Amino acid sequence: MSDTQATSKETKRHVMTFLVASERALNNALDELGFAENDDRVVEYEGRLAFTTCSHEPDCDDLFALIAELASRGESWELVSRIDLDGREVTFHSLARHRPVEAVETELPDDAAADDEEAPVHDLDTDSGVAQLRKELRRLDPAALYVSVGAASDGRVSARIVQRAPRRTIAIASGRDEASIRNAIREMLPTVMFDVTLRPPR
């Protein structure tokens, strides 16, 4: 088989990887390494904290620095990755100290809120989209909201700005990658917590 034929069979996939640890352990490691207090890559994850990176990022240096810091402190941590396949199909990969490595192919649940169809969609790669979203969010309390980030079917990234109680989607933002969406929303809602859509099997 020629190199050209081999290359044509390769398909690059979007990958998100979480470094998951207890809130205390991850915060201590972040502080020790001098990360910003409101680093957008730190998200809630099932009662713990996680530091996230993805295939849109240029490298994984910060992730490995945190792993080294957690390991030097004797803390427990876990790496969870989601590899987006076709449609809603995904592969979850998990690596933790006290259990074997595992990978599971499954399908993402369609957990979009019923009112998502009613929520306006703003393209954060355009100035007008940023301005419209800023106008919608300027009177809202960040403590009453959270932002759920996930891959969209068109290869882009979407973020749902959700009111906690009563639960409803306020707006949907679209962007080229996770970092650009987090940065844009963080400028509008400096203290809002991000929740990235990552659901490994139990």
Side-chain angles (χ1 to χ4, degrees):
M1 180 184 295
S2 68
D3 290 342
T4 302
Q5 288 175 316
T7 302
S8 67
K9 293 182 179 296
E10 293 179 356
T11 302
K12 292 192 72 173
R13 300 293 189 180
H14 179 263
V15 182
M16 293 190 72
T17 297
F18 276 21
L19 171 61
V20 186
S22 70
E23 183 174 355
R24 172 196 56 77
L26 190 56
N27 275 331
N28 286 342
L30 290 164
D31 290 344
E32 180 64 26
L33 294 174
F35 281 78
E37 183 176 347
N38 289 326
D39 194 303
D40 296 327
R41 295 168 293 179
V42 180
V43 299
E44 289 180 339
Y45 183 82
E46 297 183 351
R48 295 179 290 170
L49 284 186
F51 181 87
T52 182
T53 188
C54 74
S55 47
H56 286 124
E57 303 285 353
D59 58 53
C60 295
D61 288 354
D62 289 343
L63 179 76
F64 283 108
L66 283 167
I67 290 173
E69 181 64 26
L70 289 168
S72 71
R73 293 168 174 266
E75 299 285 3
S76 295
W77 50 271
E78 177 183 5
L79 282 176
V80 179
S81 296
R82 188 185 90 187
I83 304 169
D84 294 321
L85 304 176
D86 297 322
R88 301 193 64 81
E89 294 182 354
V90 294
T91 294
F92 289 108
H93 177 267
S94 178
L95 174 66
R97 287 178 61 191
H98 302 300
R99 67 169 187 261
V101 64
E102 63 180 0
V104 177
E105 289 190 19
T106 185
E107 186 171 305
L108 285 177
D110 188 3
D111 62 348
D115 58 351
D116 275 8
E117 295 181 1
E118 306 287 330
V121 180
H122 306 289
D123 184 352
L124 297 191
D125 291 337
T126 66
D127 291 339
S128 61
V130 171
Q132 290 168 0
L133 182 60
R134 187 185 303 277
K135 183 177 180 180
E136 284 194 40
L137 299 182
R138 65 185 176 187
R139 295 188 183 89
L140 299 176
D141 178 7
L145 308 172
Y146 70 90
V147 180
S148 180
V149 182
S153 58
D154 57 1
R156 288 165 60 80
V157 176
S158 66
R160 293 163 54 223
I161 295 90
V162 182
Q163 177 179 288
R164 295 181 183 273
R167 186 178 179 277
R168 68 185 182 96
T169 301
I170 302 295
I172 298 173
S174 172
R176 62 186 177 277
D177 57 53
E178 290 87 346
S180 64
I181 277 195
R182 290 195 305 264
N183 290 338
I185 294 177
R186 181 67 77 188
E187 289 183 5
M188 304 174 202
L189 302 170
T191 60
V192 76
M193 181 58 79
F194 288 85
D195 172 24
V196 177
T197 304
L198 188 68
R199 298 175 180 271
R202 294 294 186 178

